[in-house]
Amino acid sequence: MYLQETLAKSPRWEAWMELIELFTGLFLLVFLQFHMLAVATIILGPAAFNRDALMLDEYYLSYIGIPLVILAIIVHGLVALRKAPWRYKEMAIFIQHSRRLAHLDTWAWFVQIITGMAVLILAAIHIWNTLSTWPIEAAKSAFRIQSGSFSNLFLLLLIAEIHAMVGLYRILVKWSWIHRQKFTKWLVYATIGFVALGFIALVVFYFLDVKGLT
Amino acid sequence: MKWSDAHLTDVLVIGAGLAGERVAIEAATQGHQVTILSLVPPRRSHSTAAQGGMQASLGNVAMGYGDNPDIHFADTVKGSDWGCDQEVARLFCNLAPVAVRQMAQWGVPWSRVVPGKRLLPEGVEVEELQEKAGLIAQRQFGGTAKWRTCFAADGTGHVLQYAMDSVVVKLGVTVHDRMEAIALIHDGEHCYGAVALSLRDGSLRPYLAKAVVIATGGYGRIYGVSTNAVINEGTGMSICLDTGVVPLGNMEAVQFHPTGIVPAGILVTEGCRGDGGYLLDKNLHRFMPDYEPVKKEVASRDVVSRWMLHHMSKGLGVDSPYGPHLWLDIRHLGKEHICVNLREVHAICANFLGIDCVEELIPVRPTQHYSMGGIRTDVNGAAYGLQGLFAAGEAACWDLHGFNRLGGNSLAETIVAGMVVGEQVARYAGERSLEFPFALVADAMAAQEDRVSKLRSRSGGSEDVYRLRKGMEDALLNNVGIFRTGEALEKAVSILQELYQRSANIRLRSSGLGPNPELYAALRLPGTLKLALCIAQGALQRTESRGSHYREDYPHRDDENWLKRTLAYWPPGADMPRLEYEPVKITELPPGDRGYGGMPIKGD
Amino acid sequence: MSRFLNFSIFRYNPATPEIPPRMQDFQLDETPNMSLFIALNRLREEQDPSLMFDFVCRAAVCGSCAMLINGRPGLACKTLTQDLPDKITLMPLPVFKLVGDLSVDTGVWFRGLNENLEAWIHTDKPFDPQGLEDRMDNPTAHAIYDAERCIECGSCIAACATANMRADFIGAAGLNRVARFLIDPRDERQPYQVFEVVGTDEGVFGCIGLMACDDICPMEIPLQQQLALVRRKMALASLKGK
């Protein structure tokens, strides 16, 4: 028995952290895909996009949603990173282990950590940009995208989708009773689908006539 | 050695397989401190490799209704060819059902009876009754009148060992693994403990106890090709033989299992035949019914092995780069049955033969499998010759198996003997106080330290341990196999004698420092050669055929002269064992016809 | 037709610490159906008798011979050289204490694990030697057997990134053992009674779902499902309490 460990022990919190990670992750996943679909309405034309943005605004969904999403990102990031190999020794062991093992799922965790941290940074920039030109309008978005944000947003799209879908894969692996061989390929298809959708939306924004809209 | 290095305990159990652990549990439950020494972690013991099952007359399945200990007793005695001790067999058969049920309580996931009608492979329909639903299921094994082999798929030994070890862990019994007992500490009357060699670092340490139990299993590995694990070198038997006062019983009784795969020698369970598998020759002819119209493939192991060899000697074996073999056919049992009840067989075929036994034939040949002989004990498990020394399981000649063991009786023996002997050990330890005979301990340690340092110094001698070992394996395999003749046995004895003398001149090629496998092999070899000599000499002297001991020059059982048990002693400094004989105890069933295995049959 | 195999084998003898750990090369001609059991024994008997490794059953049932074979944990006895390239790298399992060369101490590790998990049937029911056995339906027996097939070879532990980094993690073998007792009706423990040990970061919540265990298990135990079962039960226990 060690005093400090015994006094600090609260296994319920260890379980709850896992559940918090799970539910914030699921919440962000749903948000992300919903967001992608909303953004993709630009493909149907600026009018459709603006109507949806306005609707979110009118029903106060943006004012509840955005703070919640920001909170979820922060909490999810903190909780999920609690298991990352921060100490040099752990990191070195992990990398050597992964190289020896040459095992895709093990590398996928490395991808999770890197994409997770990248999402934190890129999403912060994205949220700042969006909020600083509130409310959301097709013209403003198109302007941002045409004036240098295209590559940043595409990168965010790519890594956020990868992070989300690998995350979903691992949620299913950890919690479900379905063998992972059964769902892996569907997740890959879904990832490709969402990235393609987002990419098309970005391209549409890129070629949108901003002047014609304002 | 520092005196404080000595390990003191009430009961010292050498060997952590099923028998050893069951003894330990009994003694620990009765309040004794118990220490187990084992070559390997307990859950790696060879007991785990037993696939098929454990016999107990529960009478739970349709083909076993009406079974009782009397029928089990008769099967066992017939199987032993009247070589067994009938008092022991009776005790065993009465207790086997208790042992099975206690193991269920401790967590063994026995396969269970599913009620309903089903068709056996030979076309007979049987009905499992609703009232037996959920009771422990049983399958057929060779040489039995009823289906009475309890099983957990085909990992029975594995689950038994894990359940047993879980109780050892629960009771907090001390286990020192990677420790090999290399000598007993004794004064010719009492056994006080053992000198053990650490296989972690090559150091020596004395263990002192009120009672010492040997449960080290068999010696199959001295045959080279064997179904046994590589640790089964009979070390426990040889340290007893080394005392000069403890005899080994019936060492010539060596069982060959009909179905070792070719060439790896790995066992596929008797359950294959029990569940309805066939043996086929090169023409894919099912030949066993020609020889044994009643029992067919499920006669006792000695008989089936003999017919197989006989059949191959007629040129009907399948040729292969590894010599002739026969086929085991389980295809007709169906994929579902094979993948559930014979799952490990399926895995073994895939891993070691690269075949799918659902669709392909399995190449098999009789392979050394079990030693009926061992440290001779009385019905309480007390070894002859030394007080405070006990033995149980395959290491012992208790003598449940006589000259042939029935499949499923060995797992049952380990546990039942563990219960019985454990009880006696506990009683014995309760009556004695722990002694620390300083001079005796110092002498025993010095003798072993001397052996180790001589080998490490690499002075004198020029013999290579592995080459000598190979010589021993070949001598036994070629001359002391299933079909034996006086001539071959004499040859074996003279080769083994020469090897034994040369084993005093082993020179290590490596340094012998630390956990050095060459050092361990060199320390073991003289002892295993002694065992080999006991086997060969016992077989040479026994001029009859009985059970697994088949002499082509004496093809009949000779109850008038040979209804007796061989006792092999090794007098200090001798170069040959001294054989004595004792009568076999017949209490209920006088010698008669086994009902199968009519002799004589021919080898090659 | 027969190949020459180039072995690169990890060597270290704790009795001679002045010789540092190193990789040593050996050559061996390949024979038909050669397993690493045969190859290693030949290397020992023909080339270097001090070479340390562990085999017991050599039939893939005892779990003694797990080692890193070209980087991946596996049972050496059932690994055939014909399935490997010409160059074969052998190292001892990580996580477990090294005995020497390819030999590691899995026994003490697993004993500690089983003590920690109290991996035995907990019941207050006395044993009645005269009575019949308790009934159990066959599918339940098979389900327990499925989990009980673990041979404690340590491959899953060695393949686990968490276990490599954090010494106190009980790993897939431990969690599968928990699952085995959770589904056994004879064990009277409720999930919350194992929660203190299993519902923690040393237990199931230390698992980050990398599934190397599931991919590598030589017994092909469905570890993904077993681990998920324990995770769900422990999460539920954390919410429900007693």
Side-chain angles (χ1 to χ4, degrees):
Chain A
M1 194 273 245
Y2 299 92
L3 180 74
Q4 80 284 6
E5 280 181 13
T6 307
L7 294 182
K9 195 166 179 65
S10 172
R12 287 193 160 208
W13 265 106
E14 290 172 20
W16 289 341
M17 300 251 257
E18 183 80 2
L19 289 172
I20 291 168
E21 183 184 342
L22 167 67
F23 288 113
T24 52
L26 279 175
F27 171 72
L28 289 170
L29 174 84
V30 171
F31 162 74
L32 176 70
Q33 308 309 33
F34 176 77
H35 177 39
M36 293 316 300
L37 292 174
V39 167
T41 53
I42 194 67
I43 299 167
L44 304 175
F49 181 87
N50 284 338
R51 192 187 59 225
D52 285 355
L54 200 66
M55 200 168 70
L56 288 179
D57 214 25
E58 260 175 26
Y59 292 99
Y60 298 98
L61 279 176
S62 302
Y63 304 102
I64 307 161
I66 292 173
L68 264 183
V69 167
I70 294 173
L71 186 68
I73 290 176
I74 293 170
V75 171
H76 183 77
L78 287 175
V79 174
L81 284 173
R82 77 193 191 281
K83 284 178 191 159
W86 291 121
R87 291 163 63 189
Y88 168 75
K89 196 168 120 185
E90 287 177 348
M91 183 83 78
I93 289 176
F94 178 72
I95 290 178
Q96 282 184 12
H97 171 77
S98 305
R99 289 179 57 173
R100 261 199 318 268
L101 204 60
H103 177 250
L104 193 64
D105 282 28
T106 301
W107 279 118
W109 190 49
F110 194 68
V111 170
Q112 280 288 87
I113 295 171
I114 301 293
T115 54
M117 290 193 296
V119 166
L120 279 180
I121 297 163
L122 291 170
I125 296 169
H126 174 60
I127 292 169
W128 175 257
N129 283 339
T130 311
L131 292 183
S132 60
T133 58
W134 196 257
I136 297 171
E137 283 168 21
K140 289 178 189 168
S141 302
F143 178 73
R144 275 205 312 277
I145 289 165
Q146 288 169 24
S147 52
S149 288
F150 184 90
S151 53
N152 268 359
L153 285 173
F154 179 67
L155 196 64
L156 175 58
L157 159 73
L158 193 66
I159 59 176
E161 280 295 343
I162 289 176
H163 185 86
M165 294 311 255
V166 174
L168 177 60
Y169 168 78
R170 296 183 349 120
I171 285 172
L172 289 172
V173 158
K174 281 157 81 173
W175 295 94
S176 82
W177 43 88
I178 312 162
H179 194 279
R180 62 210 156 92
Q181 271 170 0
K182 291 198 180 129
F183 52 73
T184 307
K185 72 172 179 206
W186 297 110
L187 292 178
V188 172
Y189 296 156
T191 312
I192 293 169
F194 276 109
V195 170
L197 191 68
F199 182 71
I200 292 166
L202 276 173
V203 169
V204 171
F205 271 122
Y206 192 78
F207 291 107
L208 208 62
D209 180 7
V210 180
K211 285 196 183 111
L213 287 172
T214 47
Chain B
M1 181 202 57
K2 290 191 299 226
W3 292 118
S4 59
D5 287 344
H7 181 94
L8 309 182
T9 185
D10 291 330
V11 176
L12 179 68
V13 179
I14 301 170
L18 282 170
E21 287 209 323
R22 189 62 187 81
V23 170
I25 288 168
E26 197 62 38
T29 312
Q30 301 201 18
H32 296 294
Q33 292 177 35
V34 183
T35 300
I36 304 179
L37 302 185
S38 177
L39 299 178
V40 294
R43 296 181 185 203
R44 313 240 184 272
S45 301
H46 187 51
S47 299
T48 61
Q51 297 163 16
M54 169 169 177
Q55 285 212 39
S57 54
L58 307 178
N60 283 346
V61 294
M63 296 296 284
Y65 291 157
D67 198 10
N68 61 43
D70 295 342
I71 305 176
H72 188 183
F73 173 82
D75 284 344
T76 301
V77 175
K78 282 181 202 167
S80 79
D81 221 354
W82 278 268
C84 75
D85 183 308
Q86 295 193 7
E87 189 185 352
V88 167
R90 171 51 70 183
L91 177 72
F92 162 80
C93 295
N94 289 349
L95 277 174
V98 180
V100 165
R101 289 175 176 137
Q102 186 168 49
M103 292 314 294
Q105 172 114 356
W106 287 348
V108 169
W110 294 114
S111 295
R112 300 295 174 136
V113 174
V114 181
K117 289 186 178 152
R118 65 189 173 118
L119 203 62
L120 302 180
E122 299 227 307
V124 184
E125 192 185 65
V126 294
E127 182 176 6
E128 305 296 343
L129 297 178
Q130 187 62 42
E131 64 185 76
K132 301 281 188 185
L135 294 177
I136 294 168
Q138 294 171 291
R139 59 161 51 133
Q140 175 175 228
F141 256 39
T144 62
K146 300 276 183 187
W147 289 26
R148 76 165 73 84
T149 306
C150 310
F151 62 101
D154 65 356
T156 313
H158 171 85
V159 294
L160 283 169
Q161 180 81 52
Y162 273 57
M164 195 71 90
D165 192 55
S166 78
V167 179
V168 165
V169 175
K170 175 184 168 187
L171 295 173
V173 172
T174 306
V175 176
H176 290 180
D177 67 23
R178 293 182 189 262
M179 289 299 280
E180 176 174 345
I182 59 169
L184 292 175
I185 300 170
H186 70 100
D187 57 9
E189 280 177 24
H190 275 100
C191 182
Y192 297 98
V195 176
L197 171 74
S198 165
L199 305 182
R200 289 166 197 275
D201 58 15
S203 63
L204 293 172
R205 184 176 188 189
Y207 284 76
L208 280 299
K210 297 178 193 172
V212 178
V213 186
I214 311 274
T216 50
Y219 52 66
R221 271 290 141 185
I222 70 176
Y223 270 79
V225 181
S226 166
T227 66
N228 284 194
V230 298
I231 53 172
N232 289 30
E233 299 188 89
T235 50
M237 295 184 199
S238 67
I239 61 173
C240 288
L241 192 64
D242 284 342
T243 62
V245 292
V246 178
L248 303 182
N250 279 351
M251 289 298 278
E252 63 270 32
V254 182
Q255 181 169 79
F256 288 76
H257 195 290
T259 56
I261 63 170
V262 179
I266 294 167
L267 175 77
V268 292
T269 174
E270 184 153 326
C272 291
R273 283 171 293 127
D275 290 1
Y278 304 144
L279 290 168
L280 307 181
D281 63 17
K282 72 174 182 185
N283 303 318
L284 303 186
H285 168 65
R286 186 186 173 196
F287 58 90
M288 277 308 292
D290 303 345
Y291 301 117
E292 294 290 337
V294 181
K295 283 276 172 190
K296 300 172 187 136
E297 280 85 356
V298 288
S300 62
R301 287 176 179 171
D302 57 331
V303 171
V304 177
S305 291
R306 241 178 341 256
W307 285 127
M308 286 170 76
L309 236 62
H310 171 73
H311 200 68
M312 285 195 280
S313 75
K314 296 202 306 201
L316 293 165
V318 184
D319 288 321
S320 83
Y322 306 98
H325 63 76
L326 294 160
W327 297 116
L328 173 64
D329 184 6
I330 58 172
R331 297 172 300 179
H332 52 288
L333 301 183
K335 185 174 175 139
E336 195 190 338
H337 184 93
I338 293 171
C339 293
V340 176
N341 286 340
L342 298 170
R343 184 170 174 164
E344 305 296 330
V345 172
H346 191 252
I348 285 168
C349 289
N351 292 334
F352 300 98
L353 296 168
I355 63 163
D356 178 3
C357 62
V358 174
E359 295 180 346
E360 289 169 87
L361 299 169
I362 309 169
V364 295
R365 183 164 56 204
T367 307
Q368 194 288 339
H369 180 59
Y370 188 84
S371 29
M372 274 74 74
I375 302 153
R376 178 67 188 131
T377 70
D378 64 16
V379 67
N380 296 325
Y384 284 21
L386 279 183
Q387 283 187 48
L389 181 66
F390 296 80
E394 190 177 347
C397 179
W398 189 24
D399 175 7
L400 173 64
H401 309 302
F403 276 78
N404 175 64
R405 171 177 73 76
L406 293 185
N409 260 358
S410 64
L411 276 184
E413 183 201 13
T414 58
I415 297 170
V416 173
M419 292 159 70
V420 173
V421 179
E423 175 89 35
Q424 297 300 327
V425 167
R427 202 172 52 85
Y428 180 85
E431 288 165 359
R432 282 186 66 87
S433 52
L434 190 59
E435 288 181 50
F436 198 129
F438 289 93
L440 222 50
V441 175
D443 286 351
M445 284 292 287
Q448 298 308 316
E449 274 162 359
D450 186 46
R451 287 178 71 202
V452 172
S453 59
K454 249 188 199 144
L455 283 166
R456 283 197 181 129
S457 73
R458 295 200 278 175
S459 55
S462 59
E463 299 289 354
D464 178 75
V465 60
Y466 296 113
R467 197 166 303 159
L468 296 187
R469 235 200 98 93
K470 187 80 178 62
M472 170 184 73
E473 294 170 2
D474 290 344
L476 288 172
L477 215 51
N478 297 334
N479 303 307
V480 201
I482 295 178
F483 288 99
R484 300 169 174 180
T485 64
E487 197 185 344
L489 291 169
E490 271 170 17
K491 191 170 150 200
V493 169
S494 78
I495 296 172
L496 291 168
Q497 264 186 304
E498 189 212 326
L499 290 171
Y500 178 63
Q501 277 157 13
R502 287 166 65 190
S503 73
N505 301 317
I506 291 172
R507 182 192 175 93
L508 299 187
R509 282 185 278 147
S510 60
S511 68
L513 295 174
N516 184 290
E518 192 187 18
L519 173 77
Y520 304 153
L523 287 169
R524 258 173 231 151
L525 189 65
T528 46
L529 277 162
K530 285 185 183 175
L531 299 183
L533 273 164
C534 290
I535 298 165
Q537 180 69 0
L540 177 63
Q541 296 306 318
R542 185 173 282 274
T543 50
E544 66 153 353
S545 289
R546 186 181 294 274
S548 64
H549 172 72
Y550 189 84
R551 288 282 299 260
E552 285 183 275
D553 40 0
Y554 298 93
H556 296 280
R557 198 172 82 199
D558 178 0
D559 288 328
E560 203 166 308
N561 297 306
W562 285 104
L563 191 57
K564 54 190 184 185
R565 186 177 295 113
T566 311
L567 297 178
Y569 290 85
W570 199 284
D575 58 359
M576 275 291 279
R578 186 186 78 238
L579 300 187
E580 292 178 11
Y581 295 91
E582 67 172 5
V584 174
K585 196 179 286 174
I586 309 280
T587 55
E588 299 179 43
L589 198 63
D593 180 31
R594 299 171 90 189
Y596 46 79
M599 292 182 190
I601 54 181
K602 274 257 170 236
D604 47 23
Chain C
M1 141 137 207
S2 91
R3 294 190 294 172
F4 259 92
L5 300 172
N6 292 296
F7 285 90
S8 177
I9 298 179
F10 178 90
R11 300 302 306 270
Y12 181 67
N13 184 348
T16 52
E18 64 279 10
I19 307 170
R22 67 206 182 280
M23 299 301 292
Q24 188 179 350
D25 292 337
F26 296 92
Q27 272 83 41
L28 197 66
D29 58 302
E30 191 177 31
T31 52
N33 261 330
M34 186 158 93
S35 64
L36 288 180
F37 167 70
I38 295 169
L40 282 168
N41 274 295
R42 273 188 59 197
L43 286 178
R44 179 191 279 173
E45 289 175 19
E46 296 167 14
Q47 301 189 26
D48 188 340
S50 68
L51 185 60
M52 289 170 262
F53 50 79
D54 294 322
F55 286 97
V56 177
C57 74
R58 60 83 178 87
V61 292
C62 79
S64 302
C65 65
M67 58 181 72
L68 295 185
I69 303 160
N70 286 340
R72 287 204 166 195
L75 296 181
C77 70
K78 73 164 185 176
T79 303
L80 302 181
T81 55
Q82 68 197 32
D83 300 329
L84 298 172
D86 296 349
K87 179 154 171 74
I88 300 169
T89 305
L90 300 178
M91 296 177 98
L93 288 190
V95 185
F96 302 99
K97 190 181 172 204
L98 186 81
V99 174
D101 298 345
L102 299 174
S103 171
V104 292
D105 191 347
T106 46
V108 168
W109 195 94
F110 275 101
R111 165 89 185 216
L113 177 78
N114 287 315
E115 282 170 359
N116 185 19
L117 295 177
E118 300 193 7
W120 55 81
I121 297 282
H122 288 57
T123 178
D124 292 330
K125 209 171 168 228
F127 175 62
D128 172 15
Q130 258 62 54
L132 278 186
E133 63 271 23
D134 288 341
R135 288 169 202 258
M136 179 187 278
D137 64 12
N138 206 37
T140 306
H142 278 304
I144 299 168
Y145 179 70
D146 257 355
E148 186 82 321
R149 290 174 64 246
C150 169
I151 54 174
E152 299 190 348
C153 66
S155 291
C156 60
I157 307 297
C160 174
T162 306
N164 271 264
M165 292 186 294
R166 318 247 152 102
D168 51 8
F169 180 51
I170 65 174
L175 294 167
N176 176 63
R177 187 68 63 208
V178 172
R180 179 245 174 276
F181 285 98
L182 284 177
I183 58 177
D184 193 327
R186 293 167 294 197
D187 193 321
E188 291 164 0
R189 278 178 293 183
Q190 296 302 311
Y192 73 84
Q193 289 172 292
V194 293
F195 184 75
E196 284 275 320
V197 186
V198 183
T200 60
D201 282 348
E202 292 83 50
V204 73
F205 299 123
C207 164
I208 49 180
L210 304 187
M211 291 294 112
C213 53
D214 189 53
D215 284 327
I216 254 154
C217 174
M219 300 307 284
E220 295 173 7
I221 296 170
L223 290 171
Q224 185 206 323
Q225 281 81 348
Q226 300 284 44
L227 266 55
L229 172 95
V230 176
R231 188 183 295 271
R232 292 195 299 269
K233 292 217 179 219
M234 288 303 113
L236 209 61
S238 81
L239 298 172
K240 275 207 313 206
K242 287 190 182 181

